[in-house]
């Protein structure tokens, strides 16, 4: 029955569906579903709208019935915001000095105007934000000013600044040496120098390297942002610093608007070169210095820039239509320009071909060099250091030290006996005390060099030594007591093949000639294709003597030299009027003949005459130079008369018999007649201060050369004996006697590894207390690399600097330096610096436009001019003290250091870091900078190398 019922339901259901479809169609079911959906949706919408309206009415009734009244604070706040903002009063006092506050306020106003206001007013007219920024800046400046007044700036300017500059120069010098040792010509030299520089920096600094900040603009901006944010944290009140928007604005203004442009300008090599030229603008450009720079330049860009400018000037001169006397002047200018172009072309070809020649190595292969007599070597500081190095190599230093010690003893003994005689005239008797001290000194010399205990001992005739011992035991010592033995030692050094004869064949002798500026560069004698190239001369000829020609013993008598004054003129150079004499020189060899012109002033003749008469005393009675004339010395008649007299002087000087009588005279004559600016033996300073320089020179040659070569305690004792004879005591005599048994410390190291340490280590005893001596000695050490050379020379220079400082300033020099530092930090000087900063960034109150980078050729010519100026300003006295070659290399090294932007930035950042460490000593800026520079790639590589070298030792 159930089955029948189920079938009945399905049957009737199917029938209903069929009838529904037949009646209403196949889509009727969809219509039916749509109708149902619309019915349900409409009911839901009606219910929602009705419920919402009823709910709002109910809530409104509840609010008025149950909730409390609203607060009056919100309407009042809205009312205050609608009112006009009252002006904020800002105290315009910043530093307490009106002369500083006024330009500082202008700098703040200009900064806000040009970096904030120009875009802020497009967003809002409300000035309260601008006033808040201004107030924050002023508060920071007030705090900065207060810190500055509490800081002692004297150590920063006299110690830290100098040490940092010396360290920077040392790193640069070590980087150059490391590149020279590699000898890799394939890589870009500038890029390799920068990489090597920072490698050396991390090795020297150990804890920090600034390569990222100096080479990556992105990292540099990040460093300045972090630094400015730290400064704002220190200087701003906490509430203002927590305001991120204002803090970021101030940070960006300081870092990108002020510090970054300032650092970029100070680091620009072209800006530094222009500043150098401006600093020494009063110095006249020297032809010899200019040509030396061209011939020594290793930068093809410099040479091409000079060549292009010379070609341009040459075209202009050739286009002129002149007649009369101007023709000769223009011809001389054209010849000079042609010669400059020729030298530039030859130098460019040599650099491009890679055929650079080491002058010293090449000269060492030549058989004949300029001969410098032994007696001249022993009294010349520069020459003596090389001879001393050679004698130490050969084991003959005892002979040289003995000779120098006896010289010092003789001078000291003579001084003490003169003092004794004067005291005896005054009725003061100290005969026994003085003689006892002299006897102690004489015995000390004997024991150290001549006795059986001496090590090393001077090997000399035993009879002379025994005679000396007899004299010392039975007679009072005299200044001449060692003269016989000293004479024998001198002859031994002069004749023995181990000493002076072999020294003349050693490379040290060639280096000595280079330092004395007596060695010419044979690489400029001619090019590989046989075309002649003058080193020192004009287009018409060359005075460049080969190394054979430089021998002052003219073995080739067929070489003839003739000279006469062909013309006279009057020159006006920067307001100075002087006469100039044109000397035409003919030099004839068996295979060639050369002609050139050189120009000399009367002062050059006078200096030359003084030099040769000092060296060759017999010439003083033969050669007579025309006398000076103070007034009317530019008259034409007088100049013609002087020309005639100088011609007679030249003819007598060049007489073959004169040259044979004084063979060493030839070198001085060749040097005087070369076509270059004459290097005077005595500078203007020495001429005006002969009364000071002559005693100083005698002291340097005698006392310093001898006494300083003794042990330090002996040298100090003998010096005190000379200066304070009346205060001598028996104790000092015992100190002198004991000091003779000590070995002289020829080399004193101030650092366990001097090649990789900062220069802040103590330089020497009794130097740190003397500020100017410390500064000058430190700079000379680093600029001229004196620590790598003979310590004897360095002690001599130290002694000379001490005497110069005492003679110039006395014992008040430190006080004067402190006063000068106070003057530098005075309100007047600070105000002047702020004004210069304001005028540089906002000339006439308008933001300065970015200065376009100057053309490369102009920048290259500026480099040449800067180097020329630096070489020209160096005094001749400095060359005579440390050597011409060392002076030239040192000056050019300093100039080259400033030609790399990345290295200049490093120096600026070091100065900035030391400045902040001095200004905020309690804020641990040193640790902060180490952290900021910790991402340095060089630092990471250094730590890896250090770890790799330490790992094996730790395993063991």
């Amino acid at each position: 029955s159930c089955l029948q019922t189920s079938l009945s339901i399905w049957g009737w259901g199917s029938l209903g569906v069929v009838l529904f479809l037949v009646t209403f169609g196949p889509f009727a079911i969809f219509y039916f579903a749509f109708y149902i959906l619309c019915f349900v949706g409409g009911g839901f919408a009606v219910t929602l709208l009705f419920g919402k309206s009823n709910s709002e009415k109910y809530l409104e009734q509840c609010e008025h019935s149950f909730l409390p009244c609203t607060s009056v604070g919100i309407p009042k706040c809205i009312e205050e915001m609608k009112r006009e903002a009252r002006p904020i009063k800002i105290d315009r006092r910043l530093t307490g000095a009106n002369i500083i506050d006024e330009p500082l306020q202008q700098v703040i106003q200009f900064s806000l105007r040009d970096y904030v206001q120009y875009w802020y007013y497009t967003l809002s007219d409300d000035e309260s934000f601008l006033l808040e920024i201004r107030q924050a800046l002023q508060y920071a400046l007030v705090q900065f000013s207060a810190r500055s007044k509490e800081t002692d700036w004297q150590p920063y300017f006299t110690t830290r600044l100098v040490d940092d500059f010396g360290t920077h120069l040392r790193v640069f010098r070590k980087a150059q040496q490391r590149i020279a040792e590699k000898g890799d010509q394939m890589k870009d030299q500038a890029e390799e120098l920068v990489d090597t520089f920072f490698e050396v920096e991390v090795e020297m600094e150990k804890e920090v390297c600034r390569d990222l900040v100096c080479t990556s603009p992105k990292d540099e901006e990040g460093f300045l942002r972090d630094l400015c944010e730290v400064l704002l944290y220190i200087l701003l009140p906490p509430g203002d610093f927590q305001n991120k928007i204002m803090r970021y604005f101030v940070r960006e203004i300081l870092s990108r608007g002020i510090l970054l442009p300032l650092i970029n300008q100070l680091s620009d090599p072209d800006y530094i070169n222009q500043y150098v030229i401006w600093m020494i603008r009063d110095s006249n450009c020297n032809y010899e210095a200019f040509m030396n720079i061209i011939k020594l330049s290793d930068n093809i860009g410099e040479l091409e820039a000079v060549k292009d400018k010379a070609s341009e000037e040459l075209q202009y001169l050739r286009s002129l239509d002149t007649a009369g006397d101007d023709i000769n002047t223009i011809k001389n200018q054209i010849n000079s320009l042609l010669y400059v172009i020729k030298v530039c072309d030859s130098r460019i070809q040599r650099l491009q071909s890679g055929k650079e020649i080491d002058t010293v190595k090449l000269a060492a292969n030549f058989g004949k060099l300029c001969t410098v007599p032994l007696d001249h070597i022993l009294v010349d500081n520069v020459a003596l250091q090389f001879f001393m190095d050679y004698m130490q190599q050969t084991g003959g230093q005892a002979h040289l030290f003995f000779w120098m010690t006896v010289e010092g003893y003789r001078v000291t003994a003579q001084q003490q006996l003169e003092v004794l005689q004067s005291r005896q005239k005054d009725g003061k008797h100290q005969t026994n005390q003085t003689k006892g001290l002299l006897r102690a000194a004489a015995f000390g010399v004997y024991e150290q060099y001549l006795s059986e205990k001496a090590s090393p001992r001077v090997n000399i005739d035993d009879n002379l030594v025994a005679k000396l011992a007899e004299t010392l035991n039975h007679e009072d010592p005299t200044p001449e007591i060692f003269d016989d033995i000293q004479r024998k030692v001198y002859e031994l050094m002069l004749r023995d093949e181990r000493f002076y004869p072999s020294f003349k064949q050693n490379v040290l002798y060639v280096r000595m000639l280079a330092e004395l500026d007596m060695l010419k560069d044979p690489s400029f004698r001619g090019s590989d294709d046989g075309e002649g190239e003058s080193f020192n001369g004009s287009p018409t000829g060359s005075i460049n003597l080969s190394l054979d020609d430089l021998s002052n013993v003219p073995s080739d008598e067929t070489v003839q030299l003739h000279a006469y004054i062909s013309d006279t003129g009057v020159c006006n150079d920067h307001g100075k009027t002087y006469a100039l004499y044109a000397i035409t020189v003919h030099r004839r060899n068996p295979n060639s003949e050369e002609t050139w012109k050189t120009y000399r002033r009367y002062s050059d003749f006078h200096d030359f005459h003084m030099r040769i008469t000092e060296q060759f005393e017999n010439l003083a009675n033969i050669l007579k130079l025309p006398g000076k004339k103070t007034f009317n010395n530019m008259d034409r008649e007088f100049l013609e008369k002087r020309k005639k007299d100088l011609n007679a002087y030249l003819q007598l000087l060049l007489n073959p018999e004169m040259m044979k009588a004084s063979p060493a005279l030839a070198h001085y004559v060749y040097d005087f007649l070369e076509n270059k600016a004459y290097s005077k033996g005595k500078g203007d300073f020495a001429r005006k201060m002969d009364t000071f320089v002559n005693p100083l020179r005698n002291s340097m040659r005698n006392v310093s050369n001898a006494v300083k070569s003794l042990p330090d305690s002996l040298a100090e004792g003998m010096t005190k004996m000379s200066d304070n004879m009346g205060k001598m005591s028996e104790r000092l005599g015992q100190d002198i006697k004991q000091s003779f048994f000590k070995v002289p410390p020829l080399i004193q190291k101030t650092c366990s590894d001097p090649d990789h340490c900062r220069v802040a280590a103590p330089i020497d005893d009794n130097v740190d207390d003397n500020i100017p001596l410390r500064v000058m000695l430190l700079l000379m050490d680093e600029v001229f690399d004196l620590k790598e050379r003979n310590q004897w020379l360095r002690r001599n220079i130290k002694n000379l600097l001490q005497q110069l400082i005492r003679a110039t300033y006395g014992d008040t020099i430190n006080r004067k330096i402190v006063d000068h530092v106070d003057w530098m930090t005075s309100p007047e000087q600070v105000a002047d610096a702020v004004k210069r900063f304001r005028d540089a960034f906002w000339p006439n109150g308008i933001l300065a436009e970015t200065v376009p980078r100057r053309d490369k050729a102009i920048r290259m010519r500026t480099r040449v001019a800067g180097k020329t100026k630096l070489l020209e300003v160096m005094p001749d006295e400095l060359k005579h003290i440390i050597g011409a070659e060392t002076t030239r290399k040192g000056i050019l090294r300093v100039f080259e250091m400033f030609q790399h932007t990345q290295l200049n930035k490093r120096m600026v950042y070091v100065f900035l870091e030391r400045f902040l460490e001095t200004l905020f000593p309690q804020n641990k800026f040193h640790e902060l900078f180490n952290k900021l520079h910790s991402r340095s790639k060089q630092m990471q590589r250094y730590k890896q190398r250090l770890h790799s070298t330490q790992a094996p030792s730790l395993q063991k």
Side-chain angles (χ1 to χ4, degrees):
S1 62
C2 292
L3 180 61
Q4 292 178 353
T5 302
S6 177
L7 292 174
S8 174
I9 292 173
W10 280 102
W12 286 106
S14 300
L15 178 63
V17 171
V18 172
L19 292 175
F20 179 82
L21 294 176
V22 171
T23 305
F24 298 101
F27 295 100
I29 191 170
F30 296 104
Y31 296 140
F32 181 73
F34 177 73
Y35 295 152
I36 294 175
L37 182 62
C38 289
F39 176 79
V40 174
F44 180 77
V46 171
T47 303
L48 181 63
L49 293 175
F50 178 77
K52 179 182 179 182
S53 59
N54 287 341
S55 298
E56 289 177 349
K57 292 179 181 179
Y58 180 76
L59 288 175
E60 185 176 358
Q61 293 175 0
C62 292
E63 180 180 355
H64 290 289
S65 301
F66 305 106
L67 294 179
C69 298
T70 59
S71 174
V72 297
I74 295 177
K76 284 189 176 182
C77 182
I78 296 175
E79 184 179 357
E80 288 287 339
M81 293 177 63
K82 291 181 179 179
R83 292 180 183 178
E84 183 178 358
R86 290 177 295 180
I88 301 177
K89 294 183 179 180
I90 297 179
D91 190 354
R92 299 182 64 85
R93 293 175 297 177
L94 298 174
T95 64
N98 292 330
I99 57 175
I100 302 177
D101 293 347
E102 182 181 352
L104 268 181
Q105 287 289 352
Q106 291 179 344
V107 170
I108 295 175
Q109 180 62 36
F110 294 155
S111 300
L112 293 175
R113 181 195 67 189
D114 295 325
Y115 294 112
V116 179
Q117 291 179 3
Y118 82 96
W119 59 264
Y120 177 76
Y121 283 138
T122 61
L123 303 177
S124 173
D125 295 332
D126 185 12
E127 294 188 356
S128 59
F129 176 72
L130 299 177
L131 294 175
E132 291 291 342
I133 291 182
R134 186 187 187 101
Q135 195 170 19
L137 285 174
Q138 292 194 174
Y139 184 86
L141 287 174
V142 169
Q143 297 299 316
F144 186 87
S145 174
R147 290 289 186 99
S148 300
K149 294 177 181 178
E150 298 172 357
T151 303
D152 181 12
W153 292 107
Q154 183 263 332
Y156 174 76
F157 286 106
T158 60
T159 303
R160 295 184 180 180
L161 208 62
V162 180
D163 288 343
D164 289 334
F165 178 79
T167 301
H168 187 83
L169 184 56
R170 176 177 293 183
V171 174
F172 180 77
R173 177 164 50 83
K174 296 299 179 184
Q176 281 188 323
Q177 294 175 358
R178 189 169 297 184
I179 290 178
E181 293 172 359
K182 293 179 180 178
D184 186 8
Q185 302 294 333
M186 300 300 294
K187 192 176 180 180
D188 182 19
Q189 289 290 333
E191 180 182 351
E192 183 181 9
L193 178 62
V194 172
D195 294 340
T196 308
F197 179 91
F198 288 109
E199 288 180 7
V200 178
E201 181 196 18
V202 72
E203 293 173 3
M204 186 172 294
E205 296 281 357
K206 308 295 184 185
E207 299 177 349
V208 66
C209 184
R210 303 169 182 84
D211 56 336
L212 280 182
V213 176
C214 300
T215 58
S216 171
K218 182 179 179 181
D219 289 298
E220 182 182 13
E221 292 179 4
F223 172 81
L224 289 177
R225 288 194 186 100
D226 293 339
L227 181 60
C228 290
E229 194 151 352
V230 171
L231 291 176
L232 293 177
Y233 173 78
I234 296 174
L235 299 175
L236 290 181
D240 290 341
F241 181 79
Q242 296 301 327
N243 188 338
K244 291 186 177 181
I245 296 178
M246 185 182 67
R247 185 175 82 219
Y248 290 161
F249 274 123
V250 176
R251 183 192 70 182
E252 292 300 313
I253 291 175
L254 292 177
S255 62
R256 300 199 59 179
I258 296 177
L259 287 180
L260 187 59
L262 181 62
I263 292 173
N264 288 336
Q265 184 177 17
L266 295 177
S267 305
D268 184 14
D270 188 48
Y271 172 80
I272 296 175
N273 296 339
Q274 294 179 64
Y275 188 74
V276 168
I277 295 174
W278 178 83
M279 285 287 291
I280 50 181
R281 59 191 179 278
D282 295 332
S283 173
N284 298 330
C285 243
N286 185 293
Y287 172 77
E288 179 194 15
F290 171 72
M291 293 309 301
N292 280 339
I293 291 299
I294 296 299
K295 294 161 187 172
L296 296 174
S297 175
D298 57 358
N299 190 309
I300 296 180
E302 292 180 359
L303 298 170
E304 290 179 342
V306 173
K307 175 188 171 184
D308 294 341
K309 189 63 178 179
S311 300
E312 180 183 336
E313 292 292 329
L314 185 62
Q315 293 178 1
Y316 170 74
L317 291 176
R318 285 174 171 171
S319 66
L320 295 178
D321 185 13
T322 58
D325 295 337
D326 293 339
I327 293 180
N328 294 329
T329 303
I330 292 179
K331 284 183 178 180
N332 290 335
Q333 294 177 356
I334 289 176
N335 289 335
S336 299
L337 291 172
L338 287 172
Y339 175 63
V340 171
I341 293 173
K342 181 180 178 181
V343 172
C344 290
D345 283 334
S346 178
R347 185 65 181 161
I348 291 172
Q349 292 175 6
R350 190 173 296 279
L351 290 173
Q352 291 176 341
S353 62
K355 296 180 180 179
E356 276 297 287
I357 300 176
D358 189 333
T359 305
V360 174
K361 291 181 180 179
L362 183 62
N365 297 325
F366 282 71
K368 296 180 181 179
L369 296 172
C370 180
T371 302
V372 180
L374 179 60
D375 56 342
H376 290 185
I377 292 176
L378 293 176
V379 297
D380 187 280
N381 287 322
V382 177
L384 182 57
Q385 61 168 314
F386 290 99
F387 187 58
M388 186 181 297
D389 290 340
Y390 175 78
M391 293 294 282
Q392 289 177 346
Q393 293 178 6
T394 58
Q397 68 270 24
H399 299 79
L400 179 60
F401 289 159
F402 172 77
W403 188 94
M404 296 165 61
T405 303
V406 171
E407 285 291 303
Y409 169 82
R410 181 188 299 110
V411 173
T412 304
Q414 289 174 350
Q415 291 177 352
Q416 302 318 306
L417 292 179
E418 291 175 0
V419 172
L420 178 62
Q421 293 174 1
S422 64
R423 288 182 176 272
Q424 288 177 345
K425 292 180 181 180
D426 296 338
K428 299 178 181 179
H429 300 283
Q430 292 182 344
T431 305
N432 295 332
Q433 184 180 6
T434 302
K435 290 182 178 180
L437 291 173
L438 290 179
R439 183 181 298 278
F443 266 107
V445 175
Y446 174 82
E447 292 290 339
Q448 186 177 6
Y449 294 105
L450 300 174
S451 68
E452 296 295 335
K453 301 177 182 179
S455 177
R457 184 173 182 268
V458 176
N459 295 321
I460 205 68
D461 189 357
D462 292 338
N463 294 329
L464 288 176
V465 176
K467 183 180 178 181
L468 174 64
E470 180 80 12
T471 304
L472 287 174
N473 289 327
H474 298 90
E475 299 179 12
D476 292 333
T478 63
E480 298 81 16
I481 192 171
F482 294 102
D483 282 5
D484 293 338
I485 297 181
Q486 186 191 31
R487 195 177 301 110
K488 287 291 184 180
V489 170
Y490 175 83
E491 292 178 359
L492 179 66
M493 291 190 296
L494 180 65
R495 308 297 180 187
D496 196 318
E497 286 295 329
R498 297 173 299 167
F499 304 140
Y500 177 67
S502 297
F503 173 63
K504 292 191 296 183
Q505 307 299 324
N506 193 276
V507 66
L508 287 173
Y509 184 77
V510 182
R511 290 176 55 192
M512 181 194 74
L513 293 180
E515 292 292 354
L516 297 175
D517 214 10
M518 299 170 68
L519 182 66
K520 306 303 178 194
D521 187 351
S523 64
F524 288 94
R525 183 64 181 168
S527 56
D528 294 336
D529 56 3
E531 184 179 351
E533 176 187 351
S534 303
F535 180 53
N536 287 313
S538 64
T540 59
S542 172
I543 189 62
N544 177 41
L545 308 175
S546 67
L547 295 176
D548 292 338
D549 299 327
L550 284 173
S551 174
N552 61 5
V553 181
S555 58
D556 188 0
E557 297 183 358
T558 59
V559 177
Q560 299 180 6
L561 189 67
H562 303 282
Y564 64 93
I565 300 177
S566 56
D567 199 3
T568 305
V570 177
C571 295
N572 191 319
D573 188 5
H574 296 279
K576 298 180 181 180
T577 303
Y578 55 87
L580 202 63
Y581 301 93
I583 306 175
T584 301
V585 185
H586 298 281
R587 183 174 182 271
R588 184 177 300 171
N589 288 325
N591 301 324
S592 63
E593 182 176 352
E594 295 175 317
T595 302
W596 66 89
K597 279 189 176 183
T598 189
Y599 299 89
R600 295 287 179 261
R601 298 172 57 176
Y602 175 79
S603 60
D604 298 331
F605 276 96
H606 185 265
D607 187 272
F608 170 72
H609 180 74
M610 291 175 58
R611 182 182 296 188
I612 62 175
T613 51
E614 286 179 0
Q615 297 292 334
F616 311 96
E617 295 181 359
N618 59 319
L619 296 181
N621 299 324
I622 303 174
L623 292 173
K624 300 297 181 182
L625 188 70
K628 294 183 178 180
K629 185 179 181 182
T630 306
F631 302 103
N632 298 326
N633 54 7
M634 295 298 152
D635 293 345
R636 192 66 189 175
E637 295 181 0
F638 173 76
L639 292 179
E640 288 296 328
K641 182 179 182 302
R642 176 172 281 181
K643 170 186 171 183
K644 182 178 179 181
D645 294 339
L646 290 176
N647 258 327
Y649 177 86
L650 277 178
Q651 302 315 312
L652 181 60
L653 178 67
L654 296 175
N655 188 294
E657 298 299 327
M658 179 81 71
M659 304 293 280
K660 289 181 180 179
S662 303
L665 178 63
H667 164 72
Y668 295 94
V669 175
Y670 288 149
D671 182 68
F672 180 72
L673 295 178
E674 284 194 58
N675 187 12
K676 65 175 185 178
Y678 179 60
S679 178
K680 295 181 179 180
K682 291 187 176 182
D684 295 335
F685 177 77
R687 293 174 183 276
K688 296 176 181 178
M689 300 187 66
D690 280 342
T691 56
F692 167 70
V693 173
N694 288 335
L696 188 59
R697 184 188 301 114
N698 293 333
S699 175
M700 282 297 298
R701 289 183 176 179
N702 298 315
V703 179
S704 295
N705 289 359
V707 176
K708 290 296 181 179
S709 65
L710 297 176
D712 290 344
S713 55
L714 171 65
E716 182 181 359
M718 295 183 73
T719 303
K720 289 182 178 179
M721 182 175 65
S722 174
D723 294 338
N724 306 306
M725 184 62 194
K727 300 180 181 179
M728 284 290 186
S729 64
E730 191 67 26
R731 179 181 176 184
L732 180 60
Q734 294 297 325
D735 291 341
I736 296 176
K737 185 182 296 184
Q738 294 176 4
S739 66
F740 273 104
F741 294 96
K742 299 179 181 178
V743 179
L746 293 177
I747 300 178
Q748 299 177 352
K749 293 186 178 181
T750 58
C751 178
S752 59
D753 187 6
D755 288 343
H756 296 89
C757 67
R758 291 177 55 84
V759 300
I763 341 177
D764 211 340
D765 295 336
N766 302 322
V767 168
D768 287 338
D769 293 337
N770 192 324
I771 296 174
L773 178 60
R774 181 188 184 279
V775 171
M776 288 191 286
L777 189 58
L778 187 148
L779 292 180
M780 292 189 71
D781 275 345
E782 298 306 325
V783 172
F784 303 110
D785 200 9
L786 296 184
K787 285 191 175 181
E788 301 292 333
R789 303 177 64 181
N790 197 309
Q791 282 296 103
W792 170 87
L793 174 66
R794 188 171 179 272
R795 285 199 294 266
N796 273 353
I797 292 175
K798 173 189 169 184
N799 185 54
L800 173 62
L801 293 176
Q802 283 177 325
Q803 296 186 52
L804 284 172
I805 291 170
R806 287 173 184 166
T808 308
Y809 298 102
D811 296 330
T812 62
I813 181 63
N814 281 2
R815 180 68 259 172
K816 292 182 179 180
I817 289 180
V818 173
D819 292 342
H820 185 72
V821 172
D822 293 339
W823 173 79
M824 291 172 58
T825 56
S826 63
E828 294 78 8
Q829 294 302 311
V830 174
D832 186 59
V834 175
K835 289 177 182 178
R836 288 200 300 268
F837 174 80
R838 177 200 62 193
D839 296 338
F841 274 74
W842 292 277
N844 299 321
I846 301 174
L847 182 64
E849 298 181 358
T850 303
V851 180
R853 189 173 177 82
R854 299 201 306 168
D855 182 68
K856 181 181 178 181
I858 298 177
R859 288 185 279 116
M860 291 295 104
R861 288 195 291 272
T862 304
R863 285 183 57 169
V864 174
K867 286 192 283 187
T868 304
K869 286 279 190 180
L870 281 178
L871 280 186
E872 172 62 21
V873 80
M874 286 298 105
D876 292 335
E877 287 78 12
L878 183 61
K879 299 178 184 177
H880 297 159
I881 294 173
I882 63 177
E885 186 70 13
T886 298
T887 302
R888 181 164 50 246
K889 286 183 177 180
I891 296 303
L892 294 181
R893 180 188 297 119
V894 174
F895 185 85
E896 180 64 25
M897 181 183 69
F898 288 112
Q899 305 311 306
H900 303 273
T901 303
Q902 299 93 331
L903 307 190
N904 295 339
K905 282 191 175 183
R906 187 261 178 194
M907 186 165 60
V908 172
Y909 280 118
V910 169
F911 289 164
L912 177 61
E913 291 172 11
R914 295 294 177 270
F915 175 81
L916 294 177
E917 290 174 8
T918 305
L919 188 62
F920 305 101
Q922 305 298 329
N923 295 102
K924 299 181 180 180
F925 263 95
H926 180 73
E927 299 178 6
L928 173 66
F929 288 129
N930 288 348
K931 291 181 180 179
L932 292 179
H933 296 301
S934 60
R935 294 185 297 107
S936 165
K937 297 179 180 178
Q938 292 286 358
M939 193 69 195
Q940 294 173 2
R941 285 197 289 264
Y942 174 74
K943 290 182 178 179
Q944 291 175 358
R945 291 196 304 268
L946 192 64
H947 178 73
S948 61
T949 55
Q950 292 178 350
S953 61
L954 292 176
Q955 291 177 359
K956 291 181 181 180

